[in-house]
Amino acid sequence: KEQVQDAINRFHIVNHCTYKFKHSNTTRLLMECIHHDYSWRCRAILHTRQQHWEIMILEVPHTCISSLISQDHNKLGSQMISQTIREIIEANPSTPISTIIAHIKLTMGYTISYKKGWLAKQHAIENIFGNWEESYNKLPGMLQVMQMYVPGFIWKFNTQPTYQGGLLEEGDVIFKRLFWTFKPCIDGFAFCKPIVQVDGTFLYGKYKGTLLVAVAQDGRNNIIPIAFAIVEGETSDAWNLRRYVTPQDRLCLISDRHEAAYSRNGSGWTENNFVHVYCIRHIAQNFMRRFKNATLKKVFVNMAYAMTEPRFFYYYNIVRDTNVEAAQWLDNISREKWTKVYIPCSHVLASCLHAHHNYQIYISPIYTLQQVAKVYKGQFGELRHEDYWRTYIGSTMWLNLELKRTSKGRPKSNKIRTEMNIREQHNRVKNYSYYHTSSHTRKTCPNIGHGFSSRHH
């Protein structure tokens, strides 16, 4: 039935006409022209014995022209578009919606709406990679295969049991948290700077969550990811970072100011084996959110990166003279947590050379080219094609329905944006895209509702 409808829809899309259903059930389809004065009809039935559909009645060619002027077609649905863009999405799942709209315009001659393009992309992704539920069902088997083919691959699940009517469901578990890392990342971190930076980003899919990433730096300031986790929030309960990746002492951990996540019992992080400092960018965002002063925020950043105490207090006095409350706010944050005033700089090298001292005794071997090369010495194993995977035998993984987004469509970002993220907006008037005039929008357009389409008039 779907194939019959698809064929009829494609015919009408190509010929720029449309129809309506007069009758539709599991064994019969009856379609007719939307204009009462035009006698076009089409009838298709299902032959139950052969289990195939056949068009029994197809009257005169349907050549009527729609009275509505529109750039889109009401029979060009998101499912049909998803079939057209399948190869594009398979090659690049991150293809922007604007590219999909341009592709449909080029190949089919219609300009679809953003919503229809977005829905088509979601259908294409689901047809190629499976839906959200199927992906989570496959997750335990995929991790098991990666442990088989990728030497040193480490992963840890945290699940919760499922209940149906108050009774425990055997063989089913609900996904809660996941941690994973790779042996080359673990081995490479031993030759990196003793610095670990942790940050997270929200998952903007059908289900909520947070992706945590821990990164390190080699002697040439290159960023290296060393561990990953999917959790409800930035919590050490899901972080096996200390246990599997960073067992070394005297580490510097850079994160936001949520220090409690790394100071709980059993986390492995103690005041004797690491120093927790704060990300300057996070503090700058909080500063901007609190005081809404872009100029003072820039002064604060300069203060944080000052390499000498006189320079530090120069910027501090500017903040204090401008806003006493802002200076008090900064005083409540330990300066050892966010300033660089006590960190040695490259001037030490020049001083050593001037005094005829061997500067190498003051510099860690991590900064040598030989140590940097050791960071990338490990190799990742090759994951074989899915056809060679062993059949997974174990509990079935299900999503936590409490994390499902209730609103439809593309999720709205709840990020608090500052001038660090936004380009400066000049005082310019936004013009209506069709008439290029100010004080005129689609909602206030006087031509809508007078025989013109809202997308083209």
Side-chain angles (χ1 to χ4, degrees):
K1 180 179 179 179
E2 288 76 13
Q3 293 177 352
V4 174
Q5 290 178 318
D6 184 73
I8 296 173
N9 287 340
R10 290 183 182 276
F11 169 82
H12 285 83
I13 290 171
V14 172
N15 290 276
H16 305 283
C17 52
T18 187
Y19 67 93
K20 64 180 180 179
F21 282 102
K22 187 174 182 180
H23 184 79
S24 175
N25 58 26
T26 57
T27 60
R28 188 163 67 102
L29 285 174
L30 180 58
M31 295 148 282
E32 63 180 17
C33 182
I34 61 174
H35 302 292
H36 298 290
D37 55 347
Y38 201 82
S39 60
W40 180 89
R41 288 194 311 161
C42 179
R43 179 185 177 189
I45 64 172
L46 172 65
H47 294 285
T48 55
R49 289 186 178 182
Q50 294 84 4
Q51 284 298 310
H52 71 84
W53 284 80
E54 182 180 357
I55 295 178
M56 304 299 294
I57 299 176
L58 181 60
E59 296 188 356
V60 294
H62 196 186
T63 57
C64 72
I65 301 176
S66 175
S67 60
L68 295 177
I69 302 176
S70 175
Q71 294 180 330
D72 202 352
H73 197 288
N74 63 344
K75 300 304 180 185
L76 181 57
S78 56
Q79 289 286 0
M80 183 183 296
I81 297 173
S82 68
Q83 300 173 13
T84 305
I85 63 174
R86 180 185 176 93
E87 293 183 359
I88 298 176
I89 301 301
E90 192 169 9
N92 180 18
S94 301
T95 300
I97 307 301
S98 58
T99 302
I100 296 175
I101 296 176
H103 176 75
I104 298 301
K105 175 66 175 178
L106 179 65
T107 57
M108 307 185 74
Y110 292 98
T111 302
I112 61 175
S113 64
Y114 186 95
K115 179 181 179 180
K116 187 179 289 188
W118 184 86
L119 290 173
K121 180 180 177 180
Q122 305 311 308
H123 292 318
I125 291 176
E126 182 173 332
N127 294 334
I128 298 170
F129 304 104
N131 57 32
W132 293 93
E133 291 73 20
E134 292 174 354
S135 299
Y136 275 80
N137 292 157
K138 294 179 179 179
L139 185 58
M142 185 185 68
L143 294 172
Q144 190 178 75
V145 170
M146 290 186 67
Q147 194 172 35
M148 180 186 304
Y149 291 114
V150 182
F153 176 72
I154 297 176
W155 60 275
K156 295 296 176 183
F157 258 136
N158 192 333
T159 62
Q160 62 187 42
T162 60
Y163 294 90
Q164 184 69 27
L167 299 177
L168 179 65
E169 287 283 333
E170 297 290 345
D172 292 341
V173 293
I174 296 177
F175 174 86
K176 193 174 183 182
R177 299 163 186 161
L178 171 64
F179 166 87
W180 74 96
T181 185
F182 302 88
K183 190 175 188 302
C185 298
I186 299 173
D187 296 340
F189 177 71
F191 304 101
C192 290
K193 299 177 184 178
I195 299 174
V196 179
Q197 183 170 357
V198 178
D199 203 357
T201 181
F202 294 115
L203 301 179
Y204 286 98
K206 187 176 180 180
Y207 291 83
K208 301 176 184 179
T210 303
L211 171 64
L212 296 180
V213 181
V215 299
Q217 282 188 355
D218 65 12
R220 296 296 180 91
N221 296 330
N222 297 311
I223 302 298
I224 305 160
I226 58 175
F228 312 85
I230 296 179
V231 297
E232 305 94 326
E234 190 169 351
T235 168
S236 63
D237 294 343
W239 250 159
N240 292 274
L241 187 64
R242 181 68 181 164
R243 179 179 178 183
Y244 295 104
V245 186
T246 60
Q248 301 91 335
D249 290 334
R250 302 178 65 184
L251 294 179
C252 177
L253 180 66
I254 304 176
S255 70
D256 60 14
R257 292 183 61 191
H258 294 164
E259 194 166 3
Y262 306 96
S263 59
R264 299 173 183 169
N265 294 331
S267 66
W269 301 98
T270 65
E271 59 181 10
N272 297 324
N273 58 32
F274 89 110
V275 176
H276 188 198
V277 297
Y278 305 141
C279 175
I280 296 176
R281 181 181 176 87
H282 285 159
I283 299 179
Q285 286 181 329
N286 294 335
F287 184 91
M288 185 65 185
R289 188 183 310 165
R290 174 70 179 274
F291 300 103
K292 297 178 176 57
N293 189 321
T295 303
L296 276 188
K297 192 272 302 181
K298 295 178 181 179
V299 175
F300 158 76
V301 173
N302 291 332
M303 185 197 321
Y305 284 105
M307 303 301 296
T308 62
E309 287 191 4
R311 195 69 178 172
F312 171 85
F313 283 108
Y314 168 77
Y315 292 115
Y316 176 81
N317 291 333
I318 294 177
V319 175
R320 186 184 58 186
D321 294 341
T322 306
N323 190 325
V324 177
E325 184 182 356
Q328 294 174 348
W329 186 85
L330 292 175
D331 289 338
N332 293 329
I333 308 174
S334 176
R335 293 175 183 174
E336 290 78 10
K337 297 284 188 179
W338 57 277
T339 63
K340 296 183 67 176
V341 65
Y342 300 109
I343 299 178
C345 62
S346 59
H347 296 89
V348 175
L349 304 181
S351 301
C352 290
L353 291 174
H354 181 75
H356 303 287
H357 286 180
N358 182 11
Y359 67 88
Q360 294 183 351
I361 64 176
Y362 301 102
I363 298 178
S364 171
I366 289 174
Y367 297 93
T368 63
L369 187 60
Q370 292 79 7
Q371 292 289 92
V372 173
K374 291 180 181 179
V375 174
Y376 308 96
K377 186 178 180 180
Q379 295 183 350
F380 290 85
E382 181 180 356
L383 184 62
R384 294 190 178 184
H385 191 270
E386 190 172 355
D387 294 341
Y388 297 93
W389 292 8
R390 290 183 181 179
T391 303
Y392 170 72
I393 301 176
S395 300
T396 302
M397 180 74 64
W398 296 100
L399 286 158
N400 188 349
L401 297 180
E402 295 180 357
L403 298 179
K404 185 177 180 179
R405 299 185 186 276
T406 56
S407 58
K408 296 183 179 180
R410 185 174 56 173
K412 305 297 183 182
S413 175
N414 56 4
K415 180 178 180 180
I416 299 177
R417 303 181 69 82
T418 66
E419 92 295 339
M420 300 171 68
N421 311 102
I422 305 175
R423 295 179 302 174
E424 286 199 25
Q425 300 291 329
H426 300 285
N427 293 327
R428 60 186 182 91
V429 179
K430 184 177 180 181
N431 294 331
Y432 186 35
S433 60
Y434 293 108
Y435 291 107
H436 301 285
T437 58
S438 61
S439 302
H440 187 72
T441 65
R442 181 178 298 177
K443 291 183 178 180
T444 60
C445 177
N447 293 317
I448 295 179
H450 297 281
F452 295 91
S453 167
S454 62
R455 291 196 55 80
H456 183 68
H457 54 268

